[in-house]
Amino acid sequence: MSRPSDHYDSPAPTKDATPAKLGFIGYCRFFWRQLTNMRTALLLLLLLAIAAVPGSLFPQRVADPNGVTQYFAANPDTAPILDKFQLFDVYNSVWFSAIYLLLFISLIGCVIPRTLHHLRALRSKPPRTPAKLDRLSAFAAFDLPAGETDAEGRPFTPASVVESARAVLRRSHYRVQLFEGRDLSVSAERGYLRETGNLVFHTALLGVLIAVGIGGSIGYTGQKVVVVGQSFVNVRGAFDSFNPGRLFNDDFLQPYRLVVNSFEAKYEEKNLNALGEAIDYTANLTSYAPGDPGTKRVLKVNDPLRLGGNDIYLLGNGYAPTVTVRDAGGKVVFTDDIPCLPQDANLTSICTIKVPDGLKKQLGMQGFFYPTASPLETGAFTSVHPDLGNPMLTLRVYAGDLGINAGVPKSVYSLDPDGMTQIAGGKAATSALELKPGQTVKLPDGYGSITFENASPKAATNDLSQSVKRFISLDVHSDPTQGWVLIFAMFVVGGLLTSLFIPRRRVWVKVVEREGGGLRIEYAGLARGEDPGLDAAVADIARRHARQLGLRLSP
């Protein structure tokens, strides 16, 4: 406490007094103390949670590269600005990593000193008994008249009463210490497990950060679109997009192969208010690995497949029309299954077809696939159901340079028509091409023809349910440390619950000799922090001690 300014030996204040300069070392020490403050750690943890929010608002290149491509196509003005702020790579961004590292350093600076202090506290003895127990918030007392004896007929003494109190406190898991002086007393304390739980919480949180950091460095994520009937091999070149960690090595990829045998989608057909909504998706696969001649597997949404150290998720699905392009002489120059990216719940999908060779010029086609096509008043089409009821493929055709010969990677799901001539659709002389399964139409300007292949002979009998192939989008995730993350997360929860529900208490029992030979037994408690059960705990110790002495206290 500072002395008043008029105290006789207080120096007179000076008007030109200036604070001492901290200097470089002083500022470093100041910022280190601020960074390693527990409040700062909690603030950084909250800031990290807030910084992760954009990762759920915008598509991320790591998890949804096709979504990023679509976002750029739909928002050509704002997407580049957002990309400069790394909002499509939130978890790998500079600002997210900075918060992550500051939280990491802050937790280390908080945990280590507190752990050392806690270890010293565990070895220390309970504090001495205060002189005035009745001044504490939780207090109880009763008197033993002179000549009172125990169950064996022996008179009570301060030593026997205190020893009995120590036994009661020990059974309640208190650390106890006897103190002698004017009055005999026992000092007890418990609840160090509260601070232990607090340290376990922060240490485990630090472990989660370390495990996540290591997992992100040596793990990888990849996406692959697989058409039914085709296969996927777990090699780096087979992925449509691949995002490895900084310390990833191709040797981490375990060999296996997946074949997509079939895909089943169930839609609501009875409830008119939810007509066409997806009920269930099921992909039937066969996996092959060294020593495994083939195992049938089932992949569902939110039910990943564990294979080769990977978690394989069913990320999406759609239609993949089989398209064949022939030149003017009828020679096949292109044939492939074209995965079309769904745009709405009824699977109206965008398709991109590129024909690089075999014709007098390269051709690029942009179009829409409608599982159940229905015309609008404007003359355009839309899909009114996600299942195959009236499948139709419409295409706009461009001729020119596709820009794929320069060696610059191009997305197979997008087409840049700049520099190309539109020969069908839009303002071209020929309207957009319209095809149904099994139909063939001529390409403008003598380029040949294009056929929408029928994927199933059943379509010949007006059964269109299998006329177009389906595809599934797989998300392959490898994180060797996810088991450790789970273990540390369990410690985080356990430590948090321990620190919340175990109270830190100190209890004292003092025996005061009264004039005339009687004894007064005083009980008092003190909590560190909020402890609404302290009064009840002190009263309970008094009752149990009385029973130990063979007495009965009035409630």
Side-chain angles (χ1 to χ4, degrees):
M1 180 180 295
S2 60
R3 295 174 177 177
S5 58
D6 60 348
H7 196 270
Y8 72 93
D9 63 349
S10 295
T14 57
K15 295 182 179 181
D16 57 348
T18 57
K21 294 183 178 180
L22 290 177
F24 178 76
I25 301 299
Y27 277 112
C28 290
R29 186 179 293 110
F30 171 77
F31 285 118
W32 173 254
R33 288 176 178 174
Q34 296 301 314
L35 179 61
T36 56
N37 187 288
M38 187 57 67
R39 292 181 180 178
T40 303
L42 293 176
L43 179 62
L44 288 171
L45 185 61
L46 176 63
L47 190 60
L48 188 71
I50 296 175
V53 171
S56 61
L57 298 179
F58 301 99
Q60 300 296 295
R61 287 191 174 91
V62 173
D64 189 13
N66 295 332
V68 176
T69 301
Q70 293 180 22
Y71 193 94
F72 269 81
N75 304 275
D77 296 328
T78 59
I81 299 175
L82 297 176
D83 197 25
K84 289 182 179 180
F85 290 98
Q86 299 178 294
L87 293 180
F88 301 111
D89 298 281
V90 168
Y91 308 111
N92 294 324
S93 63
V94 174
W95 46 272
F96 189 87
S97 300
I99 300 173
Y100 186 93
L101 291 176
L102 285 175
L103 176 60
F104 184 84
I105 296 171
S106 179
L107 283 175
I108 292 177
C110 292
V111 168
I112 292 179
R114 288 184 61 175
T115 300
L116 297 176
H117 177 76
H118 185 54
L119 292 176
R120 288 193 296 267
L122 289 175
R123 293 194 299 267
S124 64
K125 297 179 180 180
R128 295 188 65 87
T129 305
K132 300 290 186 180
L133 291 183
D134 56 354
R135 293 183 178 178
L136 299 181
S137 58
F139 177 78
F142 68 90
D143 294 322
L144 284 176
E148 189 77 25
T149 60
D150 59 17
E152 299 179 0
R154 294 175 297 187
F156 289 112
T157 64
S160 64
V161 173
V162 168
E163 185 61 34
S164 176
R166 182 168 69 168
V168 171
L169 291 170
R170 278 183 170 175
R171 284 196 297 269
S172 299
H173 308 291
Y174 281 87
R175 297 168 53 198
V176 298
Q177 179 71 29
L178 291 177
F179 288 100
E180 297 180 357
R182 181 178 177 183
D183 302 309
L184 282 179
S185 64
V186 57
S187 176
E189 61 182 356
R190 61 176 293 183
Y192 277 96
L193 195 59
R194 180 189 184 97
E195 178 65 9
T196 302
N198 202 346
L199 291 173
V200 167
F201 167 76
H202 289 94
T203 304
L205 187 61
L206 185 61
V208 170
L209 294 177
I210 295 174
V212 169
I214 295 175
S217 297
I218 64 177
Y220 61 90
T221 59
Q223 290 75 37
K224 176 64 179 179
V225 170
V226 186
V227 179
V228 172
Q230 297 181 3
S231 63
F232 161 67
V233 181
N234 190 37
V235 295
R236 187 166 183 167
F239 288 90
D240 294 329
S241 63
F242 191 79
N243 298 278
R246 296 175 182 175
L247 303 179
F248 172 79
N249 189 294
D250 286 351
D251 295 336
F252 296 164
L253 292 168
Q254 299 185 27
Y256 65 83
R257 180 167 66 96
L258 281 177
V259 178
V260 181
N261 300 319
S262 63
F263 177 78
E264 300 173 3
K266 293 183 180 180
Y267 303 103
E268 179 60 54
E269 301 293 348
K270 297 180 180 179
N271 185 356
L272 296 180
N273 294 325
L275 186 67
E277 290 190 5
I279 298 176
D280 188 33
Y281 295 127
T282 303
N284 298 297
L285 315 173
T286 302
S287 65
Y288 300 88
D292 179 10
T295 301
K296 300 293 184 181
R297 301 181 183 273
V298 176
L299 180 62
K300 287 180 172 289
V301 177
N302 297 326
D303 187 12
L305 175 64
R306 183 71 179 175
L307 182 64
N310 297 148
D311 290 317
I312 304 174
Y313 297 87
L314 180 58
L315 193 63
N317 67 89
Y319 290 95
T322 304
V323 175
T324 300
V325 177
R326 294 176 174 86
D327 61 15
K331 180 182 178 181
V332 175
V333 297
F334 175 87
T335 182
D336 201 0
D337 302 321
I338 308 299
C340 299
L341 301 181
Q343 302 299 301
D344 57 29
N346 288 325
L347 297 187
T348 302
S349 306
I350 294 178
C351 308
T352 300
I353 303 172
K354 297 179 182 180
V355 185
D357 301 305
L359 301 175
K360 55 185 178 181
K361 286 186 179 180
Q362 294 180 341
L363 291 186
M365 305 180 197
Q366 288 181 330
F368 288 90
F369 174 75
Y370 309 95
T372 304
S374 177
L376 299 172
E377 294 181 357
T378 60
F381 291 91
T382 187
S383 179
V384 296
H385 196 282
D387 212 349
L388 293 174
N390 181 30
M392 176 183 289
L393 179 64
T394 63
L395 295 170
R396 291 174 294 176
V397 185
Y398 300 85
D401 184 9
L402 292 173
I404 60 177
N405 296 329
V408 179
K410 298 286 185 179
S411 172
V412 297
Y413 301 109
S414 63
L415 175 67
D416 184 4
D418 291 343
M420 303 183 75
T421 302
Q422 187 171 6
I423 60 175
K427 297 181 180 180
T430 303
S431 59
L433 307 182
E434 298 180 3
L435 299 97
K436 293 188 175 183
Q439 287 186 347
T440 299
V441 298
K442 290 185 178 181
L443 294 169
D445 299 342
Y447 277 93
S449 64
I450 181 170
T451 302
F452 184 176
E453 302 288 355
N454 195 335
S456 173
K458 294 182 180 180
T461 59
N462 295 324
D463 181 6
L464 300 176
S465 61
Q466 303 294 325
S467 61
V468 183
K469 291 183 179 180
R470 299 293 295 258
F471 74 84
I472 61 174
S473 178
L474 300 178
D475 183 74
V476 182
H477 182 75
S478 175
D479 184 1
T481 62
Q482 61 182 352
W484 287 105
V485 172
L486 175 61
I487 293 173
F488 284 126
M490 294 172 63
F491 275 108
V492 166
V493 175
L496 180 61
L497 294 177
T498 301
S499 65
L500 288 176
F501 295 108
I502 293 183
R504 176 79 179 274
R505 293 171 178 165
R506 286 175 176 170
V507 176
W508 294 275
V509 180
K510 181 191 292 187
V511 180
V512 181
E513 294 187 72
R514 307 294 292 271
E515 294 182 3
L519 299 177
R520 178 176 173 82
I521 308 176
E522 297 180 346
Y523 307 84
L526 185 65
R528 185 170 183 177
E530 295 292 332
D531 187 358
L534 181 62
D535 290 332
V538 172
D540 180 66
I541 290 173
R543 283 193 297 269
R544 289 190 290 117
H545 186 211
R547 287 198 300 267
Q548 178 83 6
L549 296 175
L551 305 174
R552 180 179 179 83
L553 293 181
S554 58

